[in-house]
Amino acid sequence: DSTALLHAAAARWPGRVHALHVHHGLQRAADDFESHCADTCAALGVPLHVARVDGRHGAGQSPEDAARRARYTALAALALTQGLHDVVLAQHADDQVETLLIALGRGAGLDGLAGMPACMERHGVRFHRPLLALPAAALREWLQAAGVPHVEDPSNADPRYTRNRIRQQLLPALQAALP
């Protein structure tokens, strides 16, 4: 998803895009992700800025939440260091549905049920989500049709994480019931 967004942004704003990558250090594939980012950015002529964070979770904290908090803090710091005040994120329609279902399952109020906003400000940086209307399948189809190499995060297959269980078990059932 991030690879598709980077290619689109580099085509839309040539010479004006910087890539920000957060290395969480949570899995063996993290170094491979950074290498993929470096190769992609070199091919596109896009400067790459990397932050290494400790994305581990503490007692009683969700691993997903701990990684997300570390990621936003690091992205904002990287952006501000480069004089950037806007960051685009590759979250898409499937992510939005998963977020909504997680909030619903937690008994969230109206704010939680609103899902992810298309734009928000955090840590002095505006974060934009331009892909929220696009399904993940459309992004992957575009990457494949364009012959753009990309990597899949192996943790996305791990059913220990709530988001992955929703993606693997609940969404197919919802799609079958409500196409």
Side-chain angles (χ1 to χ4, degrees), residues 7 36 58 75 96 98 110 116-117 123 126 130 149 155 168:
H7 275 263
H36 170 74
L75 286 172
Q96 183 73 294
E98 294 161 10
L110 289 177
M116 293 183 287
H123 309 296
R126 286 179 303 273
S155 72
Q168 295 165 9

Side-chain angles (χ1 to χ4, degrees), residues 80-141:
L80 293 173
T81 299
Q82 298 304 316
L84 308 171
H85 299 282
D86 292 272
V87 172
V88 292
L89 303 170
Q91 291 150 330
H92 47 69
D94 296 39
D95 294 324
Q96 183 73 294
V97 170
E98 294 161 10
T99 298
L100 178 64
L101 290 170
I102 288 170
L104 185 63
R106 291 185 178 146
L110 289 177
D111 286 344
L113 294 177
M116 293 183 287
C119 184
M120 67 170 184
E121 189 162 330
R122 190 176 285 182
H123 309 296
V125 173
R126 286 179 303 273
F127 289 93
H128 306 270
R129 296 181 175 104
L131 304 178
L132 284 181
L134 294 172
L139 294 171
R140 300 211 172 87
E141 287 169 14

Side-chain angles (χ1 to χ4, degrees), residues 26-41:
L26 295 174
Q27 55 181 302
R28 290 184 188 145
D31 290 335
D32 295 336
F33 297 153
E34 185 176 338
S35 294
H36 170 74
C37 290
D39 293 345
T40 301
C41 288

Side-chain angles (χ1 to χ4, degrees), residues 27 29 33 64 98 140 151-169:
Q27 55 181 302
F33 297 153
E64 295 150 309
E98 294 161 10
R140 300 211 172 87
V151 293
E152 294 288 336
D153 183 339
S155 72
N156 285 342
D158 190 340
R160 290 178 297 170
Y161 301 112
T162 303
R163 187 172 291 277
N164 295 343
R165 288 192 308 277
I166 289 171
R167 187 177 302 135
Q168 295 165 9
Q169 299 167 15

